[in-house]
């Protein structure tokens, strides 16, 4: 128990002098209280208040009364105070994913009811975590921090006490941005466009998908370019204004009322390319009873996609059913269609194919009748075989000789009317014959006859083959004459010329003392030569190599005798020369030049003088010799004279001269120096 009380006499008001002219109001009354908290029986009694300074007392008596009240607890059925309360009622709450949801459910009932929450068919009782329950008196709260898609469910709250129970069902729906679109792919491409297709997202976020946003970028780049700013409602989009031959990637975003989804997976890299134009200059080259040979040229426009090959198709005249002639693409601009029906009239066409697809077809203007055409045999001898064909011993001989003729002509090879040897191989085809010798020998030289025959028609050609090798050495090499420092050398041609004309000779000499060989002549055409500049007192040997188209002979022909250059008595008479006089008077090669200088900046005057003996140089200023003035520095190097003037002032301007003097004369050059004072 706490007791509060107090009392006392108020102090007299102060006396003022001189007294104020206005009356002073009395002080406000003071109040004293006695407060007894939590009254008990022992607090009963008389209480007296005696104010301090006053002759008066106040008394009061406290009587304690005890009243007994019997409490009968109140009983009331539980009640959920929601609009959706009742077993048949249900309410829906919509929350955006990532937001907080707090559902406060007021409840009542005596005694206090027990609250049970159900998520679907399972009891939910978590008191902590992202999704939890908070219990207060007459209030049950369901809290979700940062709602997720998995929080969407039907929640039931049930309150029970001994008197009864009440339930309410709440459907919580979590709405979110949709999932990314699926199966994003490129279905077709063109020269500067591509068609993009995708499937709607599996989950729309609880709100209908209103459209899509598309982006593209170059492969390897990090910069995405938006293709549309307004949502696009369809699932197929044609992207244009792309660069042909450049690799691109694309992606798609789904949009609903909540926002934009994450991007889809990038498409596979693709390249905007267009099919080529049609092949050009399609023509029929050959036709037989069962085949047709076509030739054409590449398309005029191929583009960045290049061309992978060609398809050849044919159909009967009057029919629209085109039959493919090749299962694999033909890379070269020619193809032979085989297995054709004899006597039929067929149309042929060729289509170019690249990564973008097929080109427009190039079709023959007229149908072709499939039957053999008799063509007279004709040998087309290459230009290099129209004259003697020369090869070296041991080399291969591989000659391809084309011919014409239909049907396939019979090919016959002979050498001087006799069959060819076993070391000569012949291979024939429909359009040419191959003459092959693995290692040529001298005995393979000679004329070969080629004969083509079709029934009673024929054509012939002659191939002249010459196999050459190195020649033998020259014969009978000898020194015919020696005079002065010269020797005349003669020889006879080699006995074996290597089956080729001798084109020249190589002559070498050697001093008999050292036997070191030196070449004197190369490609000497005559079987003789004069060797000059021989050294007196030496004896020389000579040797000669023969040359032909194949090279020089392996061994030389040695001279049978030598050339001796005899010594002769010689007297040296040195010539007499008159000594030259190199003396000369001074002469300025480069005179002084007028110039201008800025005051305070070092300048220099230059000239060049020549003279012998070396002249004495004197520098002059206004025709007065410059002495040992430290502001002037004279230099003389290799005839170049320089006068340095250190930091000239306005009074250093004037006429400067340089005088050069020696015993033969003197020379003078002058210039004018102007000193400018900066303003």
């Amino acid at each position: 128990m706490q007791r509060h009380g107090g009392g006392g006499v108020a102090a007299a008001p102060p006396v003022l002098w001189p007294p104020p002219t206005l009356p002073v109001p009395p002080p406000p009354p003071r109040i004293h209280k006695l407060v007894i908290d939590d009254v008990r029986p022992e607090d009963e009694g008389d209480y007296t208040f005696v104010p301090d300074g006053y002759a008066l007392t106040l008394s009061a008596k406290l009587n304690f009364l005890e009243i007994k009240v019997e409490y009968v607890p109140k009983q009331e059925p539980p009640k959920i105070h929601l609009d959706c309360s009742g077993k048949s009622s249900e309410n829906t709450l919509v929350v955006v994913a990532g937001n907080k949801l707090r559902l406060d459910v007021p409840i009542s009932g005596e005694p206090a009811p027990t609250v049970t929450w159900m998520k679907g068919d399972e009891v939910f009782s978590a008191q902590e975590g992202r999704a939890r329950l908070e219990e207060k008196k007459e209030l049950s709260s369901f809290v979700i921090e940062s709602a997720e898609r998995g929080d969407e469910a039907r929640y039931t709250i049930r309150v029970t006490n001994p008197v009864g129970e009440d339930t309410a069902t709440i459907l919580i729906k979590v709405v979110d941005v949709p999932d990314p679109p699926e199966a994003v792919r490129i279905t077709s491409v063109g020269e500067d466009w591509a068609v993009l297709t995708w499937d709607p997202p599996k989950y729309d976020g609880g709100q209908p998908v209103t459209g899509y946003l598309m982006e593209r970028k170059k492969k390897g780049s990090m910069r995405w370019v938006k293709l549309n700013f307004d949502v696009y409602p369809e699932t197929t989009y044609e992207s244009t204004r792309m660069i042909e031959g450049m690799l691109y990637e694309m992606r798609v975003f789904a949009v609903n009322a909540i926002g934009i989804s994450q991007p889809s997976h990038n498409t596979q890299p693709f390249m905007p390319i267009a099919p080529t134009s049609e092949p050009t200059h399609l023509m029929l080259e050959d036709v037989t009873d069962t085949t047709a040979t076509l030739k054409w040229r590449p398309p005029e426009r191929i583009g960045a996609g290049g061309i992978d090959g060609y398809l050849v198709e044919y159909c009967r005249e009057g029919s629209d059913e085109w039959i493919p002639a090749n299962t694999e693409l033909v890379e070269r601009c020619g193809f032979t269609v085989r297995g054709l029906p004899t006597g039929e009239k067929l149309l042929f066409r060729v289509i170019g194919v690249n990564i973008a697809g097929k080109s427009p077809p190039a079709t023959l203007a007229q149908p072709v009748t499939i039957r053999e055409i008799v063509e007279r045999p004709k040998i087309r001898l290459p230009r290099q075989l129209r004259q003697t064909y020369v090869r070296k011993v041991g080399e291969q001989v591989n000659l391809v000789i084309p011919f014409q003729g239909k049907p396939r002509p019979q090919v016959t090879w002979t050498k001087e009317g006799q069959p060819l040897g076993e070391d000569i191989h012949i291979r024939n085809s429909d359009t040419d014959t191959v003459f092959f010798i693995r290692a040529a020998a001298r005995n393979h030289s000679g004329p070969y006859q080629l004969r083509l025959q079709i029934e009673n028609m024929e054509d012939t050609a002659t191939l002249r083959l010459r196999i050459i090798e190195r020649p033998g050495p020259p014969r009978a090499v000898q020194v015919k004459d020696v005079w002065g420092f010269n020797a005349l050398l003669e020889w006879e041609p080699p006995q074996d010329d290597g089956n080729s004309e001798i084109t020249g000779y190589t002559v070498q000499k050697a001093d008999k003392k050292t036997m070191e060989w030196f070449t004197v002549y190369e490609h000497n055409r005559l079987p003789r030569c004069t060797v000059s500049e021989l050294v007196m007192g030496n004896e020389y040997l000579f040797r000669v190599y023969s040359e032909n188209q194949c090279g020089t002979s392996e061994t030389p022909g040695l001279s049978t005798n030598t050339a001796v250059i005899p010594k002769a008595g010689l007297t040296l008479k040195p010539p007499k020369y008159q000594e030259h006089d190199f003396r000369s008077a001074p002469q300025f090669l480069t005179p002084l030049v007028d110039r201008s200088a800025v005051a305070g900046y070092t300048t220099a005057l230059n000239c060049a003088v020549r003279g012998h003996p070396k002249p004495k140089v004197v520098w002059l200023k206004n025709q007065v010799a410059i002495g040992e003035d430290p502001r002037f520095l004279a230099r003389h190097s290799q005839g170049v004279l320089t006068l340095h003037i250190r930091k000239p002032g306005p009074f250093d301007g004037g006429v400067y001269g340089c005088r050069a003097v020696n015993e033969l004369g003197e020379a003078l050059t002058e210039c004018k120096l102007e000193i400018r004072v900066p303003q």
Side-chain angles (χ1 to χ4, degrees), residues 115 121 133 266 432 496 542 561 601 660:
V115 181
D121 297 331
L133 297 176
N266 297 350
D432 57 37
D496 181 13
F542 300 92
N561 55 349
Y601 292 87

Side-chain angles (χ1 to χ4, degrees), residues 474-483 486-492 505-510 517-521 524-532 534 540-545 556-563:
R475 298 174 298 162
V477 181
Q478 56 181 333
V479 179
K480 288 293 186 180
D481 192 10
V482 177
W483 70 98
N486 309 306
L488 176 61
L489 193 65
E490 291 184 358
W491 60 89
E492 295 180 3
Y505 301 92
T506 299
V507 181
Q508 295 182 343
K509 68 177 180 179
W517 293 96
F518 299 92
T519 300
V520 179
Y521 291 104
N524 187 74
R525 298 192 60 84
L526 299 177
R528 57 184 175 275
C529 69
T530 300
V531 181
S532 304
L534 300 177
Y540 290 91
L541 289 172
F542 300 92
R543 66 183 182 186
V544 182
Y545 291 87
L558 293 175
S559 59
T560 57
N561 55 349
T562 60

Side-chain angles (χ1 to χ4, degrees), residues 208-364:
V209 175
T210 58
Y212 302 91
L213 298 175
M214 286 71 70
E215 292 182 348
R216 77 175 181 222
K217 72 178 183 70
K218 297 177 182 177
K219 180 175 174 57
S221 172
M222 302 299 294
R223 180 175 176 268
W224 288 93
V225 179
K226 292 185 178 296
L227 300 181
N228 63 316
F229 293 93
D230 298 329
V231 293
Y232 184 75
E234 305 296 334
T235 57
T236 300
Y237 181 80
E238 181 178 340
S239 176
T240 58
R241 302 178 66 182
M242 291 189 283
I243 301 174
E244 184 179 10
M246 181 71 69
L247 283 173
Y248 288 90
E249 294 177 353
M250 299 181 72
R251 66 183 182 183
V252 184
F253 299 81
V255 182
N256 65 3
I258 304 303
I260 302 175
S261 72
Q262 292 294 316
S264 67
H265 292 295
N266 297 350
T267 63
Q268 292 294 329
F270 66 94
M271 182 185 299
I273 51 176
T276 67
S277 60
E278 67 276 5
T280 59
H281 299 90
L282 176 62
M283 58 177 293
L284 179 69
E285 184 183 32
D286 189 19
V287 62
T288 66
D289 289 341
T290 58
T291 65
T293 302
L294 304 175
K295 276 192 174 182
W296 61 89
R297 291 185 181 178
E300 293 183 355
R301 183 185 59 80
I302 294 179
I307 186 164
D308 297 334
Y310 301 92
L311 289 176
V312 181
E313 298 177 342
Y314 66 90
C315 74
R316 288 180 171 84
E317 185 180 18
S319 173
D320 294 334
E321 181 183 357
W322 289 94
I323 303 172
N326 56 320
T327 56
E328 297 182 357
L329 295 180
V330 178
E331 295 184 1
R332 60 187 184 90
C333 296
F335 185 71
T336 299
V337 184
R338 303 182 184 278
L340 299 176
T342 304
E344 290 284 349
K345 289 187 176 181
L346 303 179
L347 284 172
F348 293 89
R349 71 180 185 182
V350 180
I351 301 171
V353 180
N354 68 359
I355 192 173
K358 297 180 180 180
S359 72
T363 308
L364 283 178

